Amino acid sequence: MATTRAIHHMSQSRKAAASGWIGSALEYYDFFIYATAASLIFPQIFFPSDNPTVAIVASLATYGVGYVARPIGAFVLGHWGDTHGRKTVLIVCMFLMGVSTMAVGLLPTYQQAGILAPILLVMLRLVQGFAVAGEISGASSMILEHAPFGRRGFYASFALQGVQAGQILAAAVFLPLAAYMPTEAFNSWGWRIPFLLSFFVIVAGYVIRREVDETPAFAREEKRGETPRAPIVQAIRLSWPDMLRVICMALMNVIPVVATIFGAAYAVQPAYGIGFAKDVYLWIPVLGNMLAVIVIPFVGHLSDKVGRKPPIIVGALLSGLLAFGYLYAISIRNVPLAIMLSLLMWGVVYQGYNAIFPSFYPELFPTRTRVSAMAISQNIGTTITALLPALFATVAPPGSANIPLTVGAIAFGITVIAALAAVTARETYRIRIDDLGNPEAVPMPRADYERQRAEANDAATIPT
């Protein structure tokens, strides 16, 4: 009987990790093809202007609009995840994201519909932002609550490995189009192809996520009648210090913003005069994310041994410093150096934060408010950073001096804030799952933790 339960538990742990990985990959493919298009093509087709700076700022601002909707989505979808379960909220997120992304691919351009075109674009971006708000918090909570003892960091890291894979796919879809399609055809209809492919997101995501059971932790809360009527109110009342910490740590999203959004516009848009070819620049995020996919599970595994805080603090500070060098490499038109620094900044160092937050954030909150507390605080933080591309383009517009220094200084200052928030947080990796979210919880003695962790690893070898 015990063996049967162990086999079922490990099977569900792996299904939850696979569901989180694939679901996040598909959903963030949708979210980031928009980011790629906002940098490379939308300024020309949705925001034509005699002033190229205005077009660039307007297009990058629509990228930020998606994040403006995220706190609203976090309130609604976080509530749903804490009252109806992790599984159902993830399926809702998938459908909303897939349909809104397909609709972007069907929009008329500014030349075809005038001001209506960018208005519709902004509305669909709002739906995207609303939908994605529940994805990482829901997937992280589901994986965490299914994970074997002592392996929460490793298992939860697969949610973010999926996000990186989704970004690889988003850029990779654009690569052959940008490289081989004539410019006129790409601007006319080629850019629509990645958006219309989101049909497969809806189908694949539903098939995968319906196979995962609801988590044992949520099921226990539901059985005891402890699922709150208003998890958001309870989260803010009981966990506001940790929610504030998560908001500050989530500002680390500034690194991918620098690498993929402002960096793309800086390198590719003619007004900046750098002149990277679109297809060449697209390889920078692809290679960085490919390396991240390899690094993430190793960092997640490391956090189960040394704790969550050290990798986050080191990753925040070093990636912030490397932002200066990355932007400088673009400014001197050195493609090999830009690629190398992107790999180091984003593909390796930033993963000290990126691989850990899917376990660390939900571990700061109790089961009954976990999805709401994480979703709201994380999305507020990322919303702030998502407004940065337009800010960067405003304070460092085409023709201005010291662009790498100006943008790099802002980025580094933000990573310092994130690191300080992690320093003040409590360590969580040796706290039992039922005690998570309790500021008074006592971590397990290291010897007991290592012994039970070894037993869980042995159980993981049971054939399923």
Side-chain angles (χ1 to χ4, degrees):
M1 179 69 70
T3 302
T4 302
R5 284 198 301 267
I7 290 173
H8 177 75
H9 179 70
M10 285 308 306
S11 174
Q12 282 298 307
S13 296
R14 291 166 181 166
K15 284 182 179 180
S19 168
W21 190 98
I22 297 173
S24 295
L26 294 173
E27 193 148 342
Y28 273 80
Y29 161 80
D30 282 353
F31 201 65
F32 282 100
I33 57 173
Y34 188 103
T36 304
S39 296
L40 300 182
I41 187 66
F42 284 177
Q44 287 78 36
I45 64 173
F46 284 107
F47 304 96
S49 172
D50 294 334
N51 186 334
T53 299
V54 172
I56 294 170
V57 170
S59 180
L60 293 181
T62 66
Y63 170 78
V65 162
Y67 284 84
V68 170
R70 287 176 68 153
I72 301 170
F75 275 90
V76 176
L77 298 172
H79 175 89
W80 190 271
D82 283 326
T83 56
H84 292 79
R86 291 32 169 154
K87 177 177 177 177
T88 54
V89 75
L90 290 174
I91 292 174
V92 170
C93 291
M94 185 72 66
F95 273 97
L96 286 174
M97 177 63 78
V99 171
S100 61
T101 303
M102 284 180 60
V104 172
L106 299 173
L107 285 180
T109 65
Y110 186 90
Q111 288 79 8
Q112 294 169 329
I115 193 65
L116 179 63
I119 290 174
L120 292 173
L121 182 68
V122 168
M123 291 175 62
L124 291 173
R125 183 61 173 174
L126 287 169
V127 176
Q128 276 194 328
F130 180 93
V132 82
E135 173 61 34
I136 290 300
S137 57
S140 298
S141 296
M142 172 170 276
I143 297 173
L144 185 89
E145 292 169 7
H146 272 299
F149 182 88
R151 305 191 75 195
R152 297 192 302 244
F154 174 71
Y155 271 73
S157 71
F158 283 96
L160 259 292
Q161 192 189 49
V163 170
Q164 307 305 125
Q167 294 181 63
I168 294 171
L169 186 60
V173 167
F174 272 93
L175 278 172
L177 299 176
Y180 299 114
M181 286 190 71
T183 301
E184 184 177 343
F186 179 75
N187 291 352
S188 175
W189 58 269
W191 67 270
R192 300 179 184 274
I193 295 173
F195 291 90
L196 297 177
L197 290 175
S198 293
F199 171 78
F200 298 101
V201 172
I202 302 172
V203 177
Y206 177 73
V207 170
I208 293 161
R209 288 189 160 164
R210 70 179 181 179
E211 296 298 319
V212 184
D213 293 343
E214 190 51 78
T215 71
F218 179 82
R220 286 194 296 270
E221 294 281 323
E222 193 171 38
K223 185 176 181 179
R224 292 194 295 256
E226 295 181 1
T227 52
R229 289 176 175 268
I232 298 164
V233 174
Q234 192 170 123
I236 294 172
R237 182 168 58 86
L238 299 178
S239 303
W240 69 264
D242 288 317
M243 292 179 70
L244 183 60
R245 290 185 179 96
V246 171
I247 289 171
C248 293
M249 285 187 282
L251 297 176
M252 278 300 299
N253 191 55
V254 67
I255 296 300
V257 165
V258 167
T260 62
I261 309 305
F262 179 78
Y266 184 36
V268 170
Q269 287 298 322
Y272 276 105
I274 301 298
F276 278 25
K278 289 180 181 179
D279 55 340
V280 171
Y281 183 80
L282 279 171
W283 277 106
I284 293 179
V286 170
L287 293 173
N289 277 310
M290 288 174 68
L291 184 55
V293 164
I294 297 170
V295 170
I296 282 173
F298 289 99
V299 179
H301 176 72
L302 177 67
S303 77
D304 286 328
K305 302 174 77 172
V306 304
R308 314 294 189 225
K309 292 170 61 172
I312 287 181
I313 295 166
V314 173
L317 296 177
L318 288 185
S319 60
L321 287 171
L322 286 166
F324 289 103
Y326 172 67
L327 293 169
Y328 174 73
I330 293 175
S331 72
I332 62 173
R333 300 174 176 84
N334 190 325
V335 175
L337 182 62
I339 292 175
M340 183 189 74
L341 288 174
S342 170
L343 293 175
L344 184 60
M345 174 187 72
W346 188 22
V348 178
V349 178
Y350 173 70
Q351 303 314 316
Y353 160 79
N354 202 40
I356 305 305
F357 88 76
S359 56
F360 191 40
Y361 288 1
E363 284 176 339
L364 291 171
F365 306 111
T367 301
R368 60 186 177 275
T369 61
R370 180 165 293 138
V371 180
S372 295
M374 178 179 171
I376 292 166
S377 48
Q378 184 210 358
N379 281 291
I380 289 174
T382 52
T383 295
I384 295 170
T385 59
L387 300 175
L388 289 174
L391 173 65
F392 291 157
T394 302
V395 301
S400 60
N402 300 320
I403 290 177
L405 184 61
T406 301
V407 176
I410 297 172
F412 179 64
I414 291 172
T415 62
V416 169
I417 294 172
L420 290 174
V423 168
T424 66
R426 63 187 178 276
E427 187 56 82
T428 57
Y429 77 113
R430 285 190 284 121
I431 296 177
R432 295 181 184 276
I433 191 163
D434 288 337
D435 294 328
L436 292 175
N438 177 7
E440 306 302 322
V442 178
M444 292 182 64
R446 185 176 294 275
D448 291 345
Y449 173 80
E450 293 296 343
R451 175 180 55 79
Q452 293 189 37
R453 184 169 178 269
E455 292 172 356
N457 286 339
D458 290 341
T461 63
I462 296 174
T464 58

Coordinates of all heavy atoms in Angstrom, one line a residue, residues 15-59:
K15 N 4.1 14.6 -13.2 CA 3.1 15.2 -14.1 C 2.9 16.7 -13.8 O 2.7 17.5 -14.8 CB 1.7 14.5 -13.9 CG 1.6 13.1 -14.6 CD 0.3 12.5 -14.4 CE 0.2 11.1 -15.1 NZ -1.1 10.5 -14.9
A16 N 2.9 17.0 -12.5 CA 2.8 18.5 -12.2 C 3.9 19.3 -12.7 O 3.7 20.4 -13.3 CB 2.7 18.6 -10.7
A17 N 5.2 18.7 -12.6 CA 6.3 19.4 -13.2 C 6.2 19.5 -14.7 O 6.5 20.6 -15.2 CB 7.6 18.7 -12.7
A18 N 5.8 18.5 -15.3 CA 5.7 18.5 -16.8 C 4.6 19.4 -17.2 O 4.7 20.2 -18.2 CB 5.4 17.1 -17.3
S19 N 3.5 19.5 -16.5 CA 2.4 20.4 -16.8 C 2.8 21.8 -16.6 O 2.5 22.7 -17.5 CB 1.2 20.1 -15.9 OG 0.2 21.1 -16.0
G20 N 3.6 22.1 -15.5 CA 4.0 23.4 -15.3 C 5.0 23.9 -16.4 O 5.0 25.0 -16.9
W21 N 5.9 22.9 -16.8 CA 6.9 23.2 -17.8 C 6.2 23.5 -19.2 O 6.5 24.6 -19.8 CB 7.9 22.1 -18.0 CG 9.1 22.4 -18.8 CD1 10.3 22.7 -18.4 CD2 9.2 22.3 -20.2 NE1 11.2 22.9 -19.4 CE2 10.5 22.7 -20.6 CE3 8.3 22.1 -21.3 CZ2 10.9 22.8 -21.9 CZ3 8.7 22.1 -22.6 CH2 10.0 22.5 -22.9
I22 N 5.4 22.6 -19.6 CA 4.8 22.7 -20.9 C 3.8 23.9 -21.0 O 3.8 24.7 -21.9 CB 4.2 21.4 -21.4 CG1 5.3 20.3 -21.5 CG2 3.5 21.6 -22.7 CD1 4.7 18.9 -21.8
G23 N 3.0 24.0 -19.9 CA 2.0 25.1 -19.9 C 2.7 26.4 -19.9 O 2.3 27.3 -20.6
S24 N 3.7 26.6 -19.1 CA 4.4 27.9 -19.0 C 5.1 28.2 -20.4 O 5.1 29.3 -20.8 CB 5.5 27.9 -17.9 OG 4.9 27.8 -16.6
A25 N 5.7 27.1 -21.0 CA 6.4 27.3 -22.3 C 5.4 27.8 -23.3 O 5.6 28.8 -24.1 CB 7.0 26.0 -22.7
L26 N 4.2 27.2 -23.4 CA 3.2 27.6 -24.4 C 2.6 28.9 -24.1 O 2.5 29.8 -25.0 CB 2.1 26.5 -24.4 CG 2.5 25.1 -24.9 CD1 1.3 24.1 -24.7 CD2 2.9 25.1 -26.4
E27 N 2.3 29.2 -22.8 CA 1.7 30.5 -22.5 C 2.7 31.6 -22.7 O 2.3 32.7 -23.2 CB 1.2 30.5 -21.1 CG 0.2 31.6 -20.8 CD -0.9 31.2 -19.8 OE1 -1.1 30.1 -19.6 OE2 -1.5 32.2 -19.3
Y28 N 3.9 31.4 -22.3 CA 4.9 32.5 -22.5 C 5.4 32.6 -23.9 O 5.9 33.7 -24.3 CB 6.1 32.4 -21.5 CG 5.7 33.0 -20.2 CD1 4.9 32.4 -19.2 CD2 6.1 34.3 -19.9 CE1 4.5 33.0 -18.1 CE2 5.8 34.9 -18.7 CZ 5.0 34.3 -17.8 OH 4.6 34.9 -16.6
Y29 N 5.3 31.6 -24.7 CA 5.5 31.8 -26.1 C 4.5 32.8 -26.7 O 4.9 33.8 -27.4 CB 5.2 30.4 -26.9 CG 5.0 30.6 -28.4 CD1 6.0 30.8 -29.2 CD2 3.7 30.6 -28.9 CE1 5.8 31.0 -30.6 CE2 3.4 30.8 -30.2 CZ 4.5 31.0 -31.1 OH 4.3 31.2 -32.4
D30 N 3.3 32.7 -26.3 CA 2.3 33.7 -26.7 C 2.7 35.1 -26.2 O 2.6 36.1 -26.9 CB 0.9 33.4 -26.0 CG 0.2 32.3 -26.8 OD1 0.7 31.9 -27.8 OD2 -0.9 31.8 -26.3
F31 N 3.0 35.2 -24.9 CA 3.3 36.5 -24.3 C 4.5 37.2 -25.0 O 4.6 38.4 -25.2 CB 3.5 36.4 -22.8 CG 3.3 37.7 -22.1 CD1 2.1 38.2 -22.0 CD2 4.4 38.3 -21.4 CE1 1.9 39.4 -21.3 CE2 4.2 39.4 -20.7 CZ 2.9 40.0 -20.6
F32 N 5.6 36.4 -25.3 CA 6.8 37.0 -25.8 C 6.9 37.1 -27.3 O 7.7 37.9 -27.8 CB 8.0 36.1 -25.3 CG 8.3 36.5 -23.8 CD1 7.9 35.6 -22.8 CD2 9.0 37.6 -23.5 CE1 8.2 35.9 -21.5 CE2 9.3 37.9 -22.2 CZ 8.9 37.1 -21.2
I33 N 6.0 36.5 -28.1 CA 6.0 36.8 -29.5 C 5.5 38.2 -29.6 O 5.9 39.0 -30.5 CB 5.2 35.8 -30.3 CG1 3.7 35.7 -29.8 CG2 5.8 34.5 -30.4 CD1 2.8 34.9 -30.8
Y34 N 4.6 38.6 -28.7 CA 4.2 40.0 -28.7 C 5.4 40.9 -28.4 O 5.6 42.0 -29.1 CB 3.1 40.3 -27.7 CG 2.5 41.7 -27.8 CD1 1.3 41.8 -28.5 CD2 3.2 42.8 -27.4 CE1 0.7 43.1 -28.6 CE2 2.6 44.0 -27.5 CZ 1.4 44.2 -28.1 OH 0.9 45.5 -28.2
A35 N 6.2 40.6 -27.4 CA 7.3 41.4 -27.1 C 8.3 41.5 -28.2 O 8.8 42.6 -28.5 CB 8.0 40.8 -25.9
T36 N 8.5 40.4 -28.9 CA 9.4 40.5 -30.1 C 8.9 41.4 -31.2 O 9.6 42.2 -31.7 CB 9.6 39.0 -30.6 OG1 10.1 38.2 -29.6 CG2 10.7 39.0 -31.7
A37 N 7.6 41.2 -31.5 CA 7.0 42.0 -32.5 C 6.9 43.5 -32.1 O 7.1 44.3 -33.0 CB 5.6 41.5 -32.8
A38 N 6.7 43.8 -30.9 CA 6.7 45.2 -30.4 C 8.0 45.9 -30.6 O 8.1 47.1 -30.9 CB 6.3 45.3 -28.9
S39 N 9.1 45.1 -30.6 CA 10.4 45.7 -30.8 C 10.8 45.8 -32.3 O 11.4 46.7 -32.8 CB 11.5 44.9 -30.1 OG 11.3 44.9 -28.7
L40 N 10.4 44.8 -33.1 CA 10.9 44.6 -34.4 C 9.9 45.2 -35.5 O 10.4 45.7 -36.5 CB 11.2 43.1 -34.7 CG 12.2 42.5 -33.8 CD1 12.4 41.0 -34.3 CD2 13.5 43.2 -33.8
I41 N 8.6 45.1 -35.3 CA 7.7 45.4 -36.5 C 6.6 46.3 -36.1 O 6.2 47.1 -36.9 CB 7.2 44.1 -37.1 CG1 6.4 44.3 -38.3 CG2 6.3 43.3 -36.0 CD1 7.2 44.8 -39.5
F42 N 6.1 46.3 -34.9 CA 4.9 47.1 -34.6 C 5.1 48.6 -34.7 O 4.1 49.3 -35.0 CB 4.4 46.8 -33.2 CG 3.6 45.4 -33.1 CD1 3.2 45.0 -31.8 CD2 3.4 44.7 -34.2 CE1 2.5 43.8 -31.8 CE2 2.7 43.5 -34.1 CZ 2.3 43.0 -32.9
P43 N 6.3 49.1 -34.4 CA 6.4 50.6 -34.6 C 6.1 51.0 -36.1 O 5.6 52.1 -36.3 CB 7.9 50.8 -34.3 CG 8.3 49.8 -33.4 CD 7.5 48.6 -33.8
Q44 N 6.4 50.2 -37.0 CA 6.1 50.5 -38.4 C 4.7 50.3 -38.9 O 4.1 51.1 -39.6 CB 7.0 49.7 -39.4 CG 8.5 50.1 -39.4 CD 9.2 49.6 -38.1 OE1 8.9 48.5 -37.7 NE2 10.2 50.4 -37.6
I45 N 4.0 49.3 -38.3 CA 2.7 48.9 -38.9 C 1.5 49.4 -38.0 O 0.4 49.5 -38.5 CB 2.6 47.4 -39.2 CG1 2.7 46.6 -37.9 CG2 3.6 46.9 -40.2 CD1 2.4 45.1 -38.1
F46 N 1.8 49.6 -36.8 CA 0.7 50.1 -35.9 C 0.8 51.5 -35.4 O -0.2 52.1 -35.0 CB 0.5 49.2 -34.7 CG -0.2 47.9 -35.0 CD1 0.6 46.7 -35.0 CD2 -1.5 47.8 -35.3 CE1 0.0 45.5 -35.3 CE2 -2.1 46.6 -35.6 CZ -1.4 45.4 -35.6
F47 N 2.0 52.1 -35.5 CA 2.3 53.4 -34.9 C 3.1 54.2 -35.9 O 4.2 54.7 -35.5 CB 3.0 53.3 -33.6 CG 2.2 52.5 -32.6 CD1 2.5 51.2 -32.4 CD2 1.2 53.1 -31.8 CE1 1.8 50.4 -31.4 CE2 0.5 52.3 -30.9 CZ 0.8 51.0 -30.7
P48 N 2.7 54.4 -37.1 CA 3.5 55.2 -38.1 C 3.6 56.6 -37.6 O 2.6 57.2 -37.2 CB 2.7 55.0 -39.4 CG 1.3 54.7 -39.0 CD 1.4 53.9 -37.7
S49 N 4.7 57.2 -37.8 CA 4.9 58.6 -37.4 C 6.1 59.2 -38.1 O 7.0 58.5 -38.4 CB 5.1 58.6 -35.8 OG 5.5 59.9 -35.4
D50 N 6.0 60.5 -38.3 CA 7.2 61.2 -38.8 C 8.4 61.2 -37.9 O 9.5 61.4 -38.2 CB 6.8 62.6 -39.2 CG 5.8 62.7 -40.4 OD1 5.8 61.7 -41.2 OD2 5.0 63.6 -40.5
N51 N 8.0 61.0 -36.6 CA 9.1 61.0 -35.5 C 9.3 59.6 -35.1 O 8.5 59.0 -34.4 CB 8.6 61.9 -34.4 CG 9.7 62.0 -33.3 OD1 10.6 61.2 -33.2 ND2 9.7 63.1 -32.5
P52 N 10.4 59.0 -35.5 CA 10.7 57.5 -35.1 C 10.7 57.3 -33.6 O 10.4 56.2 -33.2 CB 12.0 57.2 -35.8 CG 12.7 58.5 -36.0 CD 11.6 59.5 -36.3
T53 N 11.2 58.3 -32.9 CA 11.2 58.1 -31.4 C 9.8 57.9 -30.9 O 9.5 57.0 -30.0 CB 11.8 59.3 -30.7 OG1 13.2 59.5 -31.2 CG2 11.9 59.2 -29.2
V54 N 8.8 58.7 -31.4 CA 7.4 58.5 -30.9 C 6.9 57.1 -31.2 O 6.3 56.5 -30.4 CB 6.5 59.6 -31.6 CG1 5.1 59.3 -31.3 CG2 7.0 61.0 -31.1
A55 N 7.2 56.6 -32.4 CA 6.7 55.3 -32.8 C 7.3 54.2 -31.9 O 6.6 53.3 -31.5 CB 7.1 55.0 -34.3
I56 N 8.6 54.3 -31.6 CA 9.3 53.3 -30.8 C 8.7 53.4 -29.4 O 8.4 52.3 -28.8 CB 10.8 53.6 -30.8 CG1 11.4 53.3 -32.1 CG2 11.5 52.7 -29.7 CD1 12.9 53.7 -32.3
V57 N 8.6 54.6 -28.8 CA 8.1 54.7 -27.4 C 6.6 54.2 -27.4 O 6.3 53.4 -26.5 CB 8.1 56.2 -27.0 CG1 7.3 56.3 -25.7 CG2 9.6 56.6 -26.8
A58 N 5.8 54.5 -28.4 CA 4.4 54.0 -28.4 C 4.3 52.5 -28.5 O 3.5 51.9 -27.8 CB 3.7 54.7 -29.6
S59 N 5.1 51.9 -29.3 CA 5.1 50.4 -29.5 C 5.6 49.8 -28.2 O 5.0 48.8 -27.7 CB 6.0 50.0 -30.7 OG 6.0 48.6 -30.8

